[in-house]
Amino acid sequence: MFETTNELLNQIRLGEDSSLELKDLKYKGDRVKDPHRKSLADELAAMANTSNGVFVFGIDDKTKTITGIPENKLDIVETWIREICNDLIDPPLDCRIRKIPVPNDDDGDLIIIRVDVPRSLFVHKSSGGYFKRLGSSKREMSSEVLARLFQQRSQSRMIYFDEQSVPSATRESLDKNLWGKFRTKLSPQKDSEFLFKLKLLRKDEDGKVYPSVSGLLLACQQPQEFLPNAFIQAVSYRGTNRNSAYQLDARDIVGPLDIQIMEACKFVEKNMKTFAVKEPGRIDIQQYSSQAVFEAIVNAVTHRDYSIYGSKIRLQMFSDRLEIFSPGTVPNSMTIDTLHLRQSTRNELLTSLLARCPLPVDKLSSVRQSYMDKRGEGVPIIYSKSEKLSGKRPEYQPIDDNELLLTIFAAPPPEIY
């Protein structure tokens, strides 16, 4: 939208509309006095709740003349905008902020600030409530409109959340070295046709092309740039309690999901104990079944609810157990008691892609060729392999309807005679 400065200036001359907002700024000392922070938060959130749009600061919205922003105020204004996006909008709004010099006949170049607001994956609430953009103004949403918007931007719509386009990313965000692994002899030869067929790319309501959520999760080197909480936070503690004073190891595991899965498995392998017994030769006994851990992490990244903003997968190791917290509860009509008997998924596209994603030859799983098993054997493997080692059946537990906790108990040390 408005790719060049000339295109932006031409649009400014026409005035505000549903995708353009102009703002003149007034200052008091080293702070922005006008517009009011809460009022701007409402307008930014309204744009994100409606469509892609651009805010331009340093323009008189009535006369459409360029007033500019003094150079000594540029950093102050940028910080002011970022604080509004982070502190007054829930969930925080991810915007692109640019400082742009524009020619002015009277005063030479003046500087304006352009803020690109992408149509969000989430529904944003600001200081005044929930707003949508209507023409050049904002309107508070009625309960019916708000309910419909939540439905549209949740997994309950016909296009699931993991299939939705991400307007803050571009086609170039997808790495051919990553999405090429999904190609087969039967795949379309044209890259664009192939990417659309796999739904790694999608068109939004305006016909513009963006990567999908699943496309970023599996074919972007750093999906966290666009989906900030799509990572695994791994911590290992000494003892049985969460206490930072007894933290042995910690790591934020980022990157494409297949890399996250393997790195999380390596984290567990690195931090768990291995006992040795002689019967009569040496036999190593690990605290956890590597195959069970692999299945547990695959399930966590595949079935988590990516539409819950601010939540990440948490992997926590203790001396007596391993805990994996996954955002979202049991999907669809399943229950804790039927997890090992039934098969259901929250993210159909993600499941399909991981089922096609080749698994490197690794001791973590020697019985499969891909990351995802579509036969529903993951939970039974977690139960059987873990219970055989520890003598205790792993436990699933919902936490406040927002998380699902899996606890795998550690194998006890072998008895010494």
Side-chain angles (χ1 to χ4, degrees):
M1 181 179 293
F2 317 136
E3 298 299 330
T4 67
T5 301
N6 282 337
E7 287 180 8
L8 178 62
L9 292 176
N10 287 334
Q11 189 63 41
I12 288 172
R13 293 187 187 99
L14 297 176
E16 297 178 337
D17 58 21
S18 59
S19 60
L20 181 67
E21 180 73 22
L22 307 177
K23 292 293 180 187
D24 193 15
L25 301 179
K26 293 182 173 54
Y27 311 93
K28 184 175 182 180
D30 286 336
R31 66 183 181 87
V32 179
K33 177 183 177 183
D34 190 63
H36 195 276
R37 281 164 47 94
K38 291 183 177 180
S39 175
L40 182 60
D42 291 341
E43 295 185 49
L44 286 165
M47 186 73 79
N49 286 337
T50 308
S51 62
N52 300 324
V54 175
F55 279 64
V56 185
F57 296 87
I59 305 290
D60 188 315
D61 63 306
K62 295 181 176 61
T63 64
K64 291 110 177 166
T65 56
I66 301 171
T67 56
I69 299 173
E71 288 194 30
N72 64 341
K73 296 284 196 297
L74 286 172
D75 290 341
I76 293 171
V77 173
E78 182 178 0
T79 300
W80 175 73
I81 295 170
R82 291 196 184 281
E83 287 178 348
I84 290 172
C85 291
N86 289 328
D87 300 340
L88 299 184
I89 301 175
D90 182 34
L93 192 58
D94 185 20
C95 296
R96 183 184 182 193
I97 302 176
R98 288 181 281 174
K99 302 166 186 174
I100 301 175
V102 294
N104 183 275
D105 294 336
D106 298 328
D107 304 309
D109 282 356
L110 293 176
I111 301 175
I112 60 176
I113 287 184
R114 167 179 175 157
V115 180
D116 288 87
V117 182
R119 175 183 177 275
S120 182
L121 292 169
F122 307 96
V123 181
H124 295 273
K125 182 180 181 181
S126 52
S127 303
Y130 289 97
F131 292 91
K132 284 197 74 174
R133 184 91 174 176
L134 184 63
S136 60
S137 61
K138 67 179 186 295
R139 291 288 185 273
E140 188 169 6
M141 286 185 274
S142 66
S143 57
E144 293 82 3
V145 172
L146 181 59
R148 188 161 59 249
L149 184 61
F150 269 112
Q151 183 182 36
Q152 289 172 346
R153 300 196 182 180
S154 74
Q155 63 159 18
S156 60
R157 63 182 296 188
M158 289 185 67
I159 297 178
Y160 291 90
F161 187 87
D162 63 324
E163 297 182 24
Q164 290 193 51
S165 59
V166 183
S168 58
T170 65
R171 176 173 177 162
E172 288 68 34
S173 304
L174 303 184
D175 189 328
K176 188 170 185 177
N177 292 323
L178 296 178
W179 57 256
K181 63 190 169 220
F182 298 109
R183 226 167 195 157
T184 68
K185 293 180 179 179
L186 300 177
S187 299
Q189 292 302 307
K190 288 185 64 175
D191 289 350
S192 59
E193 184 180 351
F194 171 73
L195 291 171
F196 276 108
K197 184 174 182 180
L198 261 66
K199 299 181 181 178
L200 300 178
L201 286 178
R202 291 196 67 96
K203 289 184 179 179
D204 70 357
E205 296 169 353
D206 299 324
K208 295 187 177 181
V209 176
Y210 299 104
S212 66
V213 171
S214 291
L216 289 173
L217 290 173
L218 283 168
C220 176
Q221 291 287 357
Q222 292 298 329
Q224 298 73 34
E225 292 181 8
F226 310 101
L227 304 166
N229 298 105
F231 69 96
I232 301 173
Q233 184 186 73
V235 184
S236 176
Y237 296 97
R238 182 172 64 247
T240 60
N241 298 315
R242 292 178 187 84
N243 189 329
S244 58
Y246 297 100
Q247 184 173 296
L248 298 174
D249 194 7
R251 181 183 171 194
D252 286 345
I253 301 171
V254 298
L257 288 191
D258 53 331
I259 301 299
Q260 289 189 35
I261 291 168
M262 300 308 293
E263 292 301 313
C265 289
K266 291 176 183 177
F267 182 90
V268 175
E269 186 176 23
K270 171 188 173 185
N271 287 286
M272 71 177 171
K273 293 180 180 178
T274 300
F275 308 108
V277 296
K278 292 184 178 181
E279 293 183 350
R282 176 188 172 97
I283 299 177
D284 289 337
I285 302 175
Q286 296 180 320
Q287 277 188 306
Y288 305 102
S289 160
S290 295
Q291 193 175 355
V293 170
F294 173 79
E295 298 290 350
I297 294 171
V298 168
N299 278 356
V301 302
T302 305
H303 300 304
R304 66 160 285 185
D305 190 342
Y306 286 93
S307 70
I308 300 177
Y309 189 92
S311 296
K312 54 192 169 286
I313 293 173
R314 294 179 290 143
L315 187 157
Q316 300 178 350
M317 297 183 68
F318 304 89
S319 60
D320 63 343
R321 69 195 187 279
L322 166 67
E323 295 183 345
I324 300 176
F325 295 83
S326 181
T329 54
V330 179
N332 301 329
S333 60
M334 295 183 69
T335 65
I336 297 295
D337 295 333
T338 62
L339 276 174
H340 64 297
L341 299 173
R342 296 180 55 199
Q343 187 178 13
S344 183
T345 181
R346 175 180 282 112
N347 304 304
E348 291 284 354
L349 177 57
L350 199 56
T351 300
S352 175
L353 291 171
L354 281 170
R356 297 178 57 155
C357 188
L359 182 65
V361 177
D362 194 283
K363 63 182 178 180
L364 293 173
S365 180
S366 59
V367 298
R368 289 228 302 271
Q369 294 182 331
S370 61
Y371 279 83
M372 193 69 198
D373 167 41
K374 297 187 100 175
R375 296 173 296 182
E377 295 178 351
V379 174
I381 289 174
I382 295 169
Y383 281 162
S384 62
K385 295 289 184 181
S386 300
E387 192 169 6
K388 183 177 179 180
L389 271 180
S390 67
K392 297 180 69 175
R393 184 183 177 93
E395 296 177 355
Y396 281 96
Q397 178 185 358
I399 307 294
D400 295 332
D401 292 330
N402 291 317
E403 283 186 307
L404 184 64
L405 167 61
L406 168 62
T407 303
I408 301 177
F409 299 98
E415 295 182 4
I416 301 176
Y417 297 97

